[in-house]
Amino acid sequence: MNWMEALYRTYEDNAQQAGKNSLEERDLKKRTITPLFPLYHGSQNAQITVVLDGSGNFRRAEVVPSGSQQTIIPVTEKSGGRTSGLCPHPLCDKLQYVAGDFTIWTNNGKSGYKEYLSQLERWKEFDPSNATLSVIFAYVSKGTLLKDLVESKILPVNEDYVLMKKWTGEKNDAPKIYAALGVVSIDAILVRWRVEIPRNLVPDVWKDKEMWDSWIRFQESQNQNTGLCYVTGKITNLAKQHPASIRKSGDGAKIISSNDTDGYTFRGKFDDPAEVCGVGREVSQKAHSALRWLISNQGWRDDSQAIVAWSSKSFFVPNPLIGTEELLDIDPDEEPEVVQYTAEKVGRKLRTKISGYKEKVVNISKVFIIGLDSASKDKGRLSITFFNEMDSVEYWNNIEHWHTECVWWLWDNRNKLWYVGAPSPKTIVEVAYGKSVDEKLRKKTVARLLPCIIERRPLPPDLVEACIHRACNRNGLESWDWTLAINTACALFRYQFNSIKQQHYNMSLDTKTTERGYLFGRLLAMAELLEKTAQQASSDTERPTNAEKLMQRFSSHPHSTWQILNTALAPYRRTLTKNDPEKRDSYEKEIETIHNLFDRNDFINDTKVSGEFLLGYYCQKSFIREEEKQSQPKK
């Protein structure tokens, strides 16, 4: 099944959701959720609601608060994909289209009022029994919208009676419209309608299903471009233009474009876009609407990049690029005494969660994953960077494998607790290349990680190595950033190592392994702990230890760097001898035990160690701290 057919089937299977906003049901972060649009409809943010009576007279106008601006509007094939030029929407549109006096109250001479009124009249004549449509047409024909908005104090004007683009008075006296504008200029305000007629059950026109159905019937009655639809294999009405605003409102990038007769869209090989392929108008509208809906509800967005996974009959599938914390929605109040989520607890919680998803999609055999990106942020062409169709059981098994195998101790800043989980791709990219990573590199790296998660492909070796290198470079990193880098590098290396080799590393200290990198990591951890403990014992100012400063050199030349560190530990050994001899003896005994595990040739080998060095370093520190914590008397 190709991507467009998959999206078309998704719309068909979820047609009952058309026009519904799933914000209350799904979105805990209160984002703006794009609904599944009725056929031949789209969405725009409206800043003003104009209220009319049953005779087509202006009653009042209201400024729409920023959180309630999303409005379902009818669109034509051209207006749904408009990026430039005059092309009116049929009912709700900007002031330059719906205001007959637009040029009088602005310095902008570019008005689409005549085109808007002509189109609205054709619709009214097609459906003469539609009282709401007749009322709106009667009012718009008067051409006094801006005059009414100015007189009702909704829009302010300057001394020349021109709309004020910016408020120049006292900030506290600014009209409400300026708070609702956002990035929209005042002469590009979009108007929606409310018609108050007795016995009118739905005065808000943008919510009226009868208006939706009226527009659908009108569109299907127009002259059609008949041909073969390559998606359904049927002779049907073909689309001449395809919708925009796919990733968000105002997004001008399109996946399909064939109207560039002066450029290079199809010239050189074809004379007409129909010679390339034909896509049914209804198929195109429904597929694009489903894609908008999916991205808005459950898509992963990073600048111009969007990735979403779904099943056609049960569209809600958690995105493969989220971290374990977000996937499980870890709740610290679940067990108040537990201050960390262990691997066993996360694994159990994850299996329960995924089993629940599997039960919901028990009759669904396929999961679809699509990735989109464009060269520029909101313009140009939108490319499909990734599309995959896979068995739903395989998908869920692979997701479970990633979140239970590519794991390490991570910090949940929202709930203030440690948990065992997989780092998100965004975290991996920032650890490998820094927080100021180039946008193109970030998006490319995320795209490389996606098959590793959903198809169990091996991790890119260069990415794992970049994370290890970053974790070893303590200098220049804040304490929290360094901890995150180490934990992420440990998760990736352990996942890569366990996938390739027979040996299996756990997240607890392995006191029997004799691998040189692991042992050198344990030695470095002991050097750090000894120096840090000595600082605390002498009430010295806490500062980065020599072990932390030399970590990068230690990973490249472990033997020679250990000789330097061991010599530098002498004053700290004396401090502990004076202040805490018992702890000094304990540390010295542990260092000696680690030394005894070395093969002599491995110990004097000064070549670079692998990522096992970080596993030994982390596990040794955790082991000693936990021992010391257990030995302290309970309060």
Side-chain angles (χ1 to χ4, degrees), residues 2 5 8-9 228-236 278-280 283:
N2 62 52
E5 184 181 0
Y8 171 67
R9 299 298 177 196
L228 175 66
C229 174
Y230 280 53
V231 177
T232 62
K234 298 178 181 179
I235 301 298
T236 186
V279 179
V283 171

Side-chain angles (χ1 to χ4, degrees), residues 389-425:
E389 171 187 352
M390 58 192 305
D391 181 80
S392 61
V393 175
E394 180 187 3
Y395 175 82
W396 284 115
N397 288 340
N398 291 347
I399 292 293
E400 181 178 358
H401 176 79
W402 173 262
H403 286 277
T404 54
E405 295 299 326
C406 186
V407 297
W408 203 257
W409 286 104
L410 301 174
W411 175 251
D412 179 358
N413 194 50
R414 177 168 59 95
N415 295 318
K416 308 300 180 185
L417 54 80
W418 287 96
Y419 69 98
V420 173
S424 68

